[in-house]
Every structure is written in C-alpha cells, then in structure tokens.
Amino acid sequence: MTTKKIFDKVIGIIAVLMLVASCTPAATEQPMEEKPPAAEVSPTKVPPAATESEAPVAAEEQDFTTWFEYDQNNEDPAADGRVGNKYLRDTIPQFNEAFEGKWNWVNQPKAWDKMEAELVAAVQAGGDVPDLYQMLSDSVNTFYRNGTVQNLREWAEKQSWYADLDSSALAACKGPDGGLYCIPLAQRPNTVFVWKDRFPDGFPKTPEEFMKKAEELKAEGLYAMTFFASTDKGGNGATRGVFTTFASFGGGYDDGKGNMLLNTPENVKAVEFLREIVAKGYVPEIAFAGGFQEEEAFKDASAGSFPTGLNGYLYMFPFTAPNGTKYEKNSSQDFLDAVAAGDIYISSFLSTEGNKPGCDTKAVGVAIPVGAKHPEAAHDYINWIMTPEQNADFVLGPGAGFPALKSTLKGEQFQTAFWQEAAKAIGNSACRPWYGTMERPTEAKAIIMAVVHKLIKESPNADIAAELTKAQEEYNAGN
Amino acid sequence: MSQEQADIKQGFRTKMFTPFWLILPSLLILFLIQVYPTLYTIVLSFQDRFPTGWEFVGLANFKQLAGSSLFQKGIGHTIIFLIGYVFLTTVFGFITALLLNTEIHYKGVYITLLFIPWVIAQIIAGMVFRLLFLPDYGLLSGIMQNPSIFPPNGISVLTATAPQSWFGNFPFPPSPAMYLLILASTWRALPFVMLLMLAAMQMIPRDIMESASIDGANGWQAIRFVLIPLMLPSMVVAIFNLILTGMNSVGIIFSLTGGGPGTSTSLLSFALYTIGWGQLRFGRAAALSMILALVNWLMIMATLRITRVEERSSQHV
C-alpha cells in the first residue's frame, strides 16, 4: 500500500468519525427554550426595589449579565449543578417579570472551578465582564489582590437589609482592607456527616474516643472516616477535613498578619492524628484518589463519617445505609431522606481539650466586577434577592447553607431535621474562613495540601515540624 | 525619465512588492497570535500583581519559581515522563509499523482500530484510564489490589506513593501513577507515530531491503543498518512531536491523576497550568512558560544534533 493510500484512508476514517461525533447529541445538551417555573418552587413576585438608580420608565430594556456556575438551559437531572440549574430556570423569569421594561437577566453559565480565573483574566485584559458574579468568599482575597471586584461597602451600608446580615457572613466577604467585596447570600460551614449505625452513640468528642471507635470499626472491615485527602483540585482538601482537623486541635494556617503559620504545636498534633488514622487503616484508599471520589466510601457506608461542606448533600447520591436501606432517588433528596429517617446525622468534629471543634465557613455571595457595564442592574438584583422570600429560595436551592439574613433563618422552611441538626452542629463549633489573613489563598491551599499529603501518606516518618516550616517559608517568600 | 523606463520601474515595483502584500495578511495574523503573545509573556514574566496594580519586580518571579517545590519536583517528573513516553511510543510505534508493513490480511481494519486512540481527546483518554484504576471502585481494582496477584498488599495505582528515591531528590523510581500516565499517554500517541513510521517504511524501495538480504544481512542488521537510517527523517519528526506534546501535555494529567498522588505526576506543563489558572499568578506562570519554551527549544536542538550525527554516520556506512 502506498503512503498516499494510507493517508487517504486515515483522512477518510477521521472524516467519518467526526461526522458520527457531530451527529450524536451530547447527553447534557438541552434545548435553549426556557421552561416555566416548576410547581414546587412558589413564584415569588417582588416589586422592583426602589433604588437611586432606577431607570426612567421610557428607557429601553437592557441586558443584565451574570456569571453563575449554573446553567439554566441544562435540564439534565444527573448534572452536578442540577439544583442551581433549576433554581436559575425558575428565578430568571421572576426577575425579568419584576423588572420588566428595565432589565433582562442574561446568565452566562461558567464552570465552577474556572470562573474565578476567567473573571480575573477578563478584568485585567479589559474584556467583557458580567454585571454580577456569583462567588464564594474564598475568592475575596484573590479578587482583592487582583483588583477584580468593586468595594461595595459604602453602597451596602445604606441598604435596608444590611443590618439584618449575619456578622460572620459579612466578615467572610470583607477583604484585608476592610472593604466589602461580596454580598453574602448564604453561609456554608463545614460539618461531619455520620452514619448512625457506625457511630450510634454520637460522633466521638475527642481524638482518643475516635481512635477507640475506629479500631472497632476496622475489626468489622469498615473505615471510621473518609475525607478529601488528595492534592487534587489545587489543594482543595486543605479547606475541608484537613482544616477541620487543624482547627479542632486549636491550630490554623495563618499568623493573623498575612503570613502562613503552620509549624505550631497544635498543627503538629493535628498532623500526627491524621497520620495515625491513615497508617492504622481507618481511612479508605479512595480518600487519596481526588476527583471528589472520597465520597464513594460514605455513600456505600463503608466509611462511617465524612467531614465536608454542608452543601455536600447536593452532590452526593445515592446512599446505601448500613442496615441495607437504599436512598436512590438520585437527587439531593436522598441525603435529606436519610437524615429524616435517622440513618445519617450531622455532627460537629472532635476536639482536643480546651478547644471547640473547628471548621471552615464560607459565604456564598455575589460581587460586582470592576468594569461592569450596568452596576445599577446588579444593585437592583441584590436588593431583590435580599428580600426574605428570595433569600430563602436561594439558600434552599444552590446556596445550600444557612441564610445570610438573620430574619430568613426564622422561616418555617429552616425548621426541618436537616437544618436543625446542622444548626446544632455549627453551634457547637468555632467556624472561621480557612485562609484567615492570607492574601493568596489559591497558592496557600496548594502548598498546605502538598505538605499534609507528604506527611500523612508519602513520608509517614518525616519530621512534621521541619516540613511544616519549609512549607510556610515557601509561601511567605512570596509576601 | 522616458515612459518605457517608468513602466519598467513600475513593473519592478509591482514585482518587488506583490509578494509582500500577499504575505501581509499571514504576517499580521502571525504577529497577533504568535509575536504579540510572546512579547507580552516576556513583559509579564518581570511583573507581579498587587492590589495597586501591576508592578515591575525584576527577576523575582524566576527566583520564587526556583524556590517553589512544585517547580523543583516538576523538573524531575518531566524528565522521567519524557524518557518513558518518548522511548515507549517510538519503540512500540516502530514495532507496530514494522508488523503492518508486512503482507497481512485486513491491514486496513488493523490500521483503523489502531488509530482510534488518536481521535480520542486527551482528557477523555485520561478519564477512561482513571475509571479503570480507581482504588476500590475501579474496573481493574479487584486485580490490581489483589495481594495474591501483586504481593504483599496489591497496588493502588492512582494513590500509591513512590518508593524511596535512589538518587536523592530525583524522583526515581517513580510512583505507580507515573507509570500509568506514561502508559496512557503512549496508548494515545502510538497511532500517530505508527502511521508516520509506516509511511516512511513504505517509501523505502523494496529492492534496497532485498539487496541487504542478498548481502547477508539478517533481520536485525537490515533494520539497524538499512531501515532505521533511511527512516531517520520521519523518526525525527515523530520524536519532535512526542517531545513537544509530552512537554506541553496537560489534559491527560488533569483528568487521570490531577498531578498526584502528592505532586508525583505534576509535570512542568501541569505546574504551569496550576500556577497560572489555579493560583492566578500570571507573572510567575509567564516566567515558567519562558523557561519551558527555552527547554523545548534546547531539546529540539539536541535531537536535531544527535540525529544529524546519526545521519552522517549512516552515510559513511
């Protein structure tokens, strides 16, 4: 066969494959048309909030552009962001109706793990930026350093809802200069999800109690705990179970002055604890695989507990309880059902003497990027979503935490077993943002998780204090 | 000046400038997508972002990069990966091409089947291998983690850490995940290399190989002293391509190992992605991309030099 013939054949194969690929519809691709709001979400008609920026009646309707991590056009019930997708699908028409003739909400869906970088790059390059950006308060310091979002403090303080904001939610949105770089809508603290049959007497209160119970579970071929123990996702594990452990031992990641501080006696003890539970086989191997696959061991109850964000329930399903009960609606309802049935409960973490169980908390909020074309539209939106009805809808949907408005928390919707257990667990804990005063959290979490992984998995005999010092010096060299 | 002279001058001008006008659009596009970004990257590599804006920081980005563990470890991992990936792909690509160059039935079917990995996106290839080797839940985990097959405790390919290094800080032997990364990358790149080599083999006149045989060369000698030297230009193209794709590959690492366990599969290209788009340190990422560009260039030059020497020596044979 000649070369030409081979190439001709290959080109032919590629052409056929491309044709086949282009003819096969993507599983998640959905028609662009908007569906009317689903029955279970009551349409909340709220009159447009009167703001100083209200446009003249005769003015033409303008686009109000947002970047949310959810896609209103994606109706795939198995999509990761299905709760948020549905929320937007239901809410966009409500907003457009409330602001008819003034604003037309156009959401541009963004990937949750890329949108931060995309916004920073867009602002710095002078490209198109949205009028409003949905964010987690983890990004505040990054945005502050990169001059990405506007300081809303002066404007926010004049709004009626400002006094009703929970103080810790508000604090999470503040930058190192005291400016307010996001408006919190919900708070997402970390808790521990626990299988009742694995820990029938409650989650252990101390490391000693935990070790004893973990040994009993191991004898049954089970694991006491799974957690995000890999270095995947840019070191995201450092914001989850690892921080919960550090904080519960009285430690943390920073010195309160913008520097990383890892080498403290408390942190050394926390690493010793993590090292021991890994070495003794109380943690499944899947915990180190990344890709959020550590959840698998909790879903099939082979691991008895799982320290993670409260919003974790949105993404985990189905479940098989230790007693064989299957929760397989394949939605976030599975977790809520398991909690209501008493198979799963929500707890605070263990702690050492003199310390409260620790955890990370973050605010889910919105920000106005520098260079936004219609900041007044964003102001109108914020005033609209800060009404108790809209705030509750957001929190019960993608917010998946506690309402940032104190008045919303009193609503009937938040009196179920899930919310009450979560409130109790958080009440017993001392939660704070994991990054503290560090201005480069994205860099910090990668360094922290790399050293923790090294100490608990790669080099279980390495000198903890020396490695922690090395890691903090690496970060602080960039200050 | 006479009319004739003016016409000649005009004709000369047209002849002189027409090619310039014809290539101008390409030059402009090249400038926009190649030259400007390169210049911007150079400028960026000497700057850092502060709340007050961009500031000139001299060589600070390079200095911080040199002190970062991600970069230091990334060098060793990249070397290991490149050696494994380029060697395996070249060798298996050559062997497969050699087999396909014989008179066999259904050759077209084999080529079609062998070509499938090349049309699969890197990120998908990574995901497929990941699903096979996921600890406890992967399709092959029952075999890999079986102590009776892999004593004493079985192997959890994606999470097992590397054994004690033989050479201080140099990461050799690598972690099992690095072997898997090399395997997956080789699997995906093999069709391209195989096809290049097959094309090169088929361009060699059959009588040359027959004369070698008549002259008493055995199979290995014919391959070593006749086939390989004649195929060298195509092999160089394949090796160039493998070095460049290997040096700059991110997608397969992203979906297969995420750079882990720890940082054991975090190559420099992945570190570049992490520093730029994960940590948003654009200045430092620009500095790293400058270094990577330099390394790419050096490796290509080295390959060229080695193969020229080979080419010359083969001409003397």
Side-chain angles (χ1 to χ4, degrees), chain B residues 219-235:
Chain B
W220 166 243
Q221 285 167 331
I223 290 171
R224 169 67 186 91
F225 297 109
V226 181
L227 192 64
I228 291 179
L230 288 172
M231 284 177 61
L232 212 55
S234 300
M235 281 183 136

Side-chain angles (χ1 to χ4, degrees), chain A residues 327-340:
Chain A
Y327 297 94
E328 46 192 7
K329 285 179 184 158
N330 287 325
S331 73
S332 49
Q333 194 59 40
D334 286 342
F335 187 89
L336 301 177
D337 288 349
V339 171

Side-chain angles (χ1 to χ4, degrees), chain A residues 116 136-142 168 171-172 188-190 233-248 251-256 258-262 267 309 358-363 430-450 452 475, chain B residues 278-279:
Chain A
E116 185 187 47
L136 293 176
S137 56
D138 289 44
S139 302
V140 163
N141 284 5
T142 305
S168 57
R188 272 186 200 162
N190 277 16
K233 309 284 176 206
N236 211 281
T239 74
R240 297 164 181 254
V242 171
F243 180 75
T244 298
T245 311
F246 274 46
S248 299
Y253 294 157
D254 74 310
D255 68 353
N259 299 308
M260 185 184 279
L261 178 63
L262 294 181
N267 287 351
C359 71
D360 165 56
T361 185
K362 48 179 71 82
C431 298
R432 64 185 200 269
W434 67 269
Y435 50 86
T437 53
M438 289 185 288
E439 278 187 28
R440 306 188 321 274
T442 46
E443 198 180 332
K445 66 183 178 184
I447 292 174
I448 294 166
M449 205 54 219
V452 169
Y475 175 86
Chain B
Q279 301 177 3

Side-chain angles (χ1 to χ4, degrees), chain A residues 88 92 113 204 233 282 297 342 377 419 421 475:
Chain A
L88 282 185
I92 289 173
D113 55 346
K233 309 284 176 206
Y282 302 155
W419 298 103
E421 277 188 29
Y475 175 86

Side-chain angles (χ1 to χ4, degrees), chain A residues 146-185:
Chain A
N146 286 286
T148 311
V149 295
Q150 299 181 19
N151 181 355
L152 300 173
R153 187 169 180 166
E154 206 179 312
W155 173 80
E157 281 174 353
K158 291 178 193 156
Q159 308 308 310
S160 57
W161 41 261
Y162 187 80
D164 192 26
L165 278 177
D166 180 90
S167 57
S168 57
L170 192 62
C173 274
K174 286 187 175 167
D177 64 344
L180 189 65
Y181 292 95
C182 67
I183 303 295
L185 305 178

